[in-house]
Amino acid sequence: MKYAFVIRNDENSFKVAEKIKSQLKLEYDEENPDYVISLGGDGTFLRAVHKYINSIDHVVFFGLNSGNLGFYTDYTMDNVDGLIDALENNNFNVNSHSLIEYNYNNKIGYALNEITLLNQMMVQTVDVYVDDVLFETVRGTGLCVCTTSGSTAYNKSLGGPVVDPSLEAFILTEIAPINSNAYRALSSPLVLSSKHTLRLKCHTDSMFTADQFVMDMKSEEWLNINFSCKKIRFGKMDNTSFVKRVQKAFL
Ligand code: NAP
């Protein structure tokens, strides 16, 4: 078995990487790892997933947080030895996390947290189709479509619901929608089951994001979003429930 690191740019994370490298009796291989260890926070974990997105069918991801327990990071500085043991002895449980997928002009990409359609500079008008039927036309800053595991990230800041990641669903949340006599938007997050598809068309040039990546989007072009059959697998040690994590992180 071979492993690789994705490391947040801070002293603690580099120190842990050195410690693991000096003790772990597995080969380090950045090109073709079986295990990817993210050292940092949830943002670093996202980077790790995107770096190895083409290998997610066989890679198992491990998140070691150099701060507090995160939503994707299951190991902390206190159990570095536990992580080494888990990797050497194949002694871990594997959880799956669903991804959402976009198709823009036949370019396909994935998000673990969310896809947003955003224009911070000017109000944009976006047609939202659910399963090819026009659902609403939103005028505002944009839209956020998140996975259940991404529900605690940007979606939560937008007032979207926090959703148990074991549910197969995705959530559409409007970003600062205008509601007036002229424009009407749902103005509540919409939770859809995994079988639905979304098609978004913007009437001005815009931008969309997939987790940390930003792409240009041209006026009148389609951004199609659906639940992906791809999942990431991540190695778990900690038995902290999702509700407990939410409580620790936010309350
Ligand atoms: P960043 O701006 O450096 O940090 C974003 C924050 O979101 C970090 O504190 C990160 O945790 C946290 N985070 C990431 N995924 C999470 C999850 N699933 N649940 C709870 N918290 C989570 O950006 P980044 O590190 O590159 O991460 C990109 C993410 O930032 C996007 O996917 C989006 O969700 C989020 N974002 C949030 C807002 C907002 O809330 N207003 C705006 C833009 C983007 P760590 O500190 O553990 O890394």
Side-chain angles (χ1 to χ4, degrees):
M1 288 290 183
K2 295 176 284 185
Y3 74 101
F5 291 129
V6 174
I7 309 173
R8 183 166 65 192
N9 194 11
D10 68 56
E11 203 182 324
N12 262 355
S13 303
F14 282 110
K15 267 193 192 154
V16 184
E18 269 174 35
K19 178 175 164 143
I20 296 175
K21 222 168 181 176
S22 68
Q23 293 185 10
L24 185 58
K25 295 185 203 79
L26 299 178
E27 186 187 336
Y28 189 82
D29 182 351
E30 213 148 6
E31 293 301 308
N32 198 18
D34 303 292
Y35 301 142
V36 171
I37 307 168
S38 127
L39 302 172
D42 287 327
T44 317
F45 192 90
L46 286 178
R47 271 206 294 132
V49 168
H50 282 280
K51 181 168 179 189
Y52 291 100
I53 197 82
N54 294 326
S55 314
I56 59 169
D57 293 338
H58 75 268
V59 162
V60 182
F61 293 88
F62 293 82
L64 191 146
N65 203 316
S66 34
N68 296 318
L69 211 63
F71 285 92
Y72 298 122
T73 49
D74 225 38
Y75 293 81
T76 58
M77 303 285 262
D78 296 338
N79 45 37
V80 175
D81 293 339
L83 174 62
I84 293 172
D85 176 66
L87 294 170
E88 284 181 349
N89 299 307
N90 227 358
N91 179 22
F92 52 84
N93 296 321
V94 173
N95 260 18
S96 292
H97 275 266
S98 301
L99 299 171
I100 47 175
E101 185 175 310
Y102 68 80
N103 182 330
Y104 176 65
N105 282 336
N106 294 322
K107 184 180 181 314
I108 290 170
Y110 302 91
L112 177 57
N113 268 354
E114 75 283 293
I115 294 166
T116 66
L117 176 49
L118 261 182
N119 192 333
Q120 300 282 8
M121 304 308 290
M122 55 190 273
V123 173
Q124 57 182 352
T125 306
V126 187
D127 293 334
V128 179
Y129 286 73
V130 180
D131 302 331
D132 286 328
V133 176
L134 180 62
F135 172 69
E136 63 175 348
T137 297
V138 178
R139 228 172 118 68
T141 302
L143 294 158
C144 171
V145 180
C146 76
T147 61
T148 47
S149 52
S151 70
T152 45
Y154 193 14
N155 166 73
K156 183 175 180 300
S157 307
L158 296 169
V162 169
V163 183
D164 183 335
S166 64
L167 293 175
E168 299 230 313
F170 56 111
I171 303 125
L172 171 73
T173 304
E174 297 153 356
I175 306 174
I178 296 172
N179 263 306
S180 65
N181 289 336
Y183 301 106
R184 186 120 326 265
L186 182 66
S187 296
S188 300
L190 180 68
V191 184
L192 292 166
S193 77
S194 56
K195 65 178 193 290
H196 292 288
T197 56
L198 284 172
R199 304 190 77 202
L200 308 178
K201 183 158 67 171
C202 196
H203 296 294
T204 44
D205 286 354
S206 186
M207 277 178 355
F208 70 97
T209 67
D211 296 338
Q212 295 135 324
F213 296 93
V214 184
M215 275 80 49
D216 288 327
M217 180 164 163
K218 289 267 166 253
S219 167
E220 308 307 322
E221 290 187 336
W222 289 101
L223 179 65
N224 298 331
I225 301 172
N226 58 270
F227 206 75
S228 178
C229 58
K230 280 188 188 287
K231 286 181 189 287
I232 66 144
R233 296 184 303 145
F234 93 107
K236 262 189 90 61
M237 177 184 122
D238 190 273
N239 284 328
T240 309
S241 71
F242 172 67
V243 172
K244 199 80 200 161
R245 275 172 209 265
V246 171
Q247 188 187 32
K248 274 188 167 175
F250 300 117
L251 297 174

